[in-house]
Amino acid sequence: MFRSLTALGLACIAFHAAPLPAQSVVDGGVVAAMDRWLAAAQKRAPGTWGVVVADDQGEVLWSINGAQPMTPASTVKLLTTGFARTVVGGDARRATRVLGTGGVNPATGTWEGRWALELNGDPTLERPDRAGPTLRALAEQLRAIGVRKLVGPLALTTLAGEPAASYPAAWSPRHRGRAFAPPIGPVTLNENLVAFTILPGSRAGETPRIGAGAPRGAARLVTMKASTVAGTRNRLVVRQVGSGWTITGSIGTRAAARRYAYTAPDPVAVVEAAWAQAVADVGIEWTRVPSISSPTPVERRVLAEVVSASFDSIAHEVNSRSLNIGAELLLLWGGGADRPAARLEAHVRAVTGIDHGIRLVDGSGLSDDDRVTPFAFAAYLARFPRTPAGRDFPLLLPANGSGTLRRLANGLPEAGVVRAKTGSLANVSTLVGYLGRPGGMLVVAAMYNGPRTGDARLAQWELFRTLGADGVVIPPEPDVAVESFGGP
């Protein structure tokens, strides 16, 4: 006899070496389809499979290895989304501000007093290629109140923790320096990535030009020691030196422009370069003489402010792009600077009622040490939407055919039948989410740990296509009473 995930949650769930029997299945087609799918999946991708299919009330329809703790990879992001949304709310926004004490000298336009830039980990701040607020907008507000000159070093502050960014200890060192694993913290611009373009001079002997950068002002971090030569060959050499980059070698007069992209080795230096560019763009002179007093205002007055899009908008982008820095910043937003992953784990245990097989050490799933059981995922997917913070939760995940589900465009009736999150690491392929059916949503947790991750992903796509062949679009939830399952 099937038991609900609620009943399974508080007990030590027995390990299922084979699919559950078929009696009491709400949709009689699920078990037969899953049995056929499993046989093909295990042949295609040998390894450890943990799969649970349940209805939207948490009643298990089919499972294998449901109580097996497994590495979840980026599917952790949907748990982080639910946790942070519970704490801050779907309409919350992240602010970036200029704070100050003192005033503008009307004769010179100089800000006389202390000032500081407050950064709070907005993952959308200063992204030239994507939507989000900019430092230039802050500078324009300063100019609007009469500021024409700033004096003193750039002071950084934040509402919580240290105004810095660093590599998370929970992440493997092998990821350091890769674009998907930049430094994490309140000091974040352009997702803590830096890019710049190098173009040849107009004739041989001229210094190559530094073109568009991201964030704007990134060119200030580049020291050019290369030369332009005749021809089409590019022999530039880019080396990181301190907080920036030094370029040597040569580039031909007829060579194509080259764009270089890196994780920010020193996010504070990136902010300083971008701020210098922002104030220069609006005609504010910045004289960086040493400060003679405490740089952070004691009595803070907001001189300028920009805000992010809503939490829900950011969360949808984070899940659709599987953006690691975005997920970690959502975790800090909801959990604060002190042990936020422990708060995330406690939230998941509270919502699911399951104590076994849940270990979370980061908010993105990039750590090899995260563990979640398929039962826990299915329980969370079923129960969280019925909490006060869970309204329309499935819509915060990408739909089939978009984002990380773009390869699930075919084989389903239309976009929106599936709302799910993928996860990928070495030896990990996971796919967890919702599937719309005429009789109500299914929740599906399909987890694979083994060497054939590419084949496992194809099998997971096939699983959702099989169960969703007659699927329907997952709609927004109607106004209904919600149930509280405990706080974070």
Side-chain angles (χ1 to χ4, degrees):
M1 182 66 65
F2 290 104
R3 294 175 290 168
S4 70
L5 289 172
T6 304
L8 287 167
L10 295 177
C12 180
I13 308 171
F15 180 90
H16 294 286
L20 292 174
Q23 61 265 35
S24 301
V25 175
V26 175
D27 182 342
V30 169
V31 167
M34 290 303 300
D35 288 347
R36 290 192 299 270
W37 172 83
L38 178 64
Q42 289 178 325
K43 183 177 181 180
R44 170 182 273 180
T48 301
W49 281 95
V51 184
V52 172
V53 179
D55 65 22
D56 57 5
Q57 299 302 305
E59 190 75 19
V60 177
L61 307 180
W62 190 96
S63 76
I64 183 170
N65 295 341
Q68 175 79 16
M70 300 182 70
T71 306
S74 282
T75 48
V76 169
K77 291 180 177 69
L78 71 84
L79 305 175
T80 300
T81 296
F83 164 62
R85 197 188 201 212
T86 299
V87 177
V88 306
D91 294 327
R93 298 172 187 269
R94 270 306 207 196
T96 303
R97 305 180 177 99
V98 179
L99 308 176
T101 56
V104 180
N105 183 321
T108 64
T110 301
W111 179 262
E112 295 183 347
R114 291 172 291 177
W115 60 279
L117 184 60
E118 180 188 278
L119 298 176
N120 292 306
D122 175 2
T124 70
L125 180 63
E126 197 64 41
R127 303 187 302 176
D129 299 328
R130 295 183 182 272
T134 65
L135 295 183
R136 176 169 178 152
L138 286 177
E140 288 172 343
Q141 293 176 41
L142 291 182
R143 185 171 176 85
I145 63 172
V147 176
R148 298 295 182 270
K149 185 173 182 179
L150 291 171
V151 179
L154 177 63
L156 297 179
T157 186
T158 185
L159 290 173
E162 293 294 321
S166 60
Y167 191 80
W171 288 359
S172 170
R174 73 177 184 274
H175 300 313
R176 187 184 296 271
R178 304 181 73 177
F180 60 78
I184 305 297
V187 178
T188 296
L189 287 188
N190 192 43
E191 300 170 10
N192 279 341
L193 301 176
V194 175
F196 48 85
T197 302
I198 306 301
L199 304 93
S202 58
R203 60 177 60 88
E206 288 188 354
T207 300
R209 295 168 289 152
I210 305 172
R216 185 164 171 77
R220 295 170 180 263
L221 298 169
V222 178
T223 300
M224 179 60 67
K225 294 184 178 181
S227 61
T228 302
V229 297
T232 60
R233 303 192 69 172
N234 183 329
R235 294 178 174 175
L236 296 174
V237 177
V238 182
R239 294 186 177 88
Q240 181 189 323
V241 178
S243 300
W245 293 267
T246 296
I247 300 179
T248 57
S250 63
I251 183 171
T253 52
R254 292 180 286 118
R258 288 290 301 273
R259 186 171 176 83
Y260 299 89
Y262 303 93
T263 58
D266 182 357
V268 171
V270 176
V271 171
E272 187 166 9
W275 180 247
Q277 187 68 49
V279 294
D281 284 345
V282 302
I284 295 176
E285 179 186 350
W286 178 21
T287 303
R288 285 177 263 188
V289 300
S291 177
I292 60 174
S293 60
S294 173
T296 303
V298 177
E299 297 179 2
R300 300 180 179 188
R301 178 160 65 95
V302 176
L303 308 180
E305 179 178 275
V306 293
V307 296
S308 70
S310 69
F311 174 92
D312 279 358
S313 177
I314 294 173
H316 184 270
E317 181 184 350
V318 167
N319 286 309
S320 295
R321 294 176 55 204
S322 203
L323 185 62
N324 291 320
I325 186 173
E328 297 297 342
L329 293 175
L330 292 184
L331 178 63
L332 292 174
W333 196 354
D338 182 26
R339 302 180 68 242
R343 292 183 172 86
L344 168 62
E345 182 178 312
H347 163 82
V348 175
R349 292 176 185 271
V351 170
T352 62
I354 296 175
D355 289 326
H356 167 76
I358 301 171
R359 184 186 182 215
L360 297 171
V361 299
D362 69 353
S364 61
L366 191 56
S367 173
D368 297 319
D369 295 329
D370 290 314
R371 294 290 184 276
V372 182
T373 68
F375 274 136
F377 266 124
Y380 192 90
L381 292 171
R383 302 192 79 195
F384 183 71
R386 293 183 283 137
T387 69
R391 181 178 175 83
D392 290 336
F393 179 68
L395 303 186
L396 299 183
L397 306 178
N400 51 296
S402 68
T404 56
L405 301 188
R406 61 188 177 277
R407 295 184 65 186
L408 197 52
N410 301 321
L412 292 166
E414 57 186 310
V417 170
V418 173
R419 293 279 181 171
K421 182 73 193 74
T422 59
S424 300
L425 282 174
N427 298 317
V428 178
S429 178
T430 54
L431 182 58
V432 175
Y434 300 91
L435 196 155
R437 301 263 289 188
M441 285 194 305
L442 295 181
V443 297
V444 182
M447 307 182 71
Y448 171 81
N449 289 177
R452 303 282 291 274
T453 55
D455 290 329
R457 176 68 76 227
L458 294 176
Q460 289 160 348
W461 295 145
E462 188 60 31
L463 167 60
F464 273 76
R465 290 187 181 108
T466 298
L467 294 179
D470 61 346
V472 298
V473 172
I474 298 171
E477 298 171 16
D479 290 325
V480 294
V482 292
E483 179 182 355
S484 175
F485 291 99

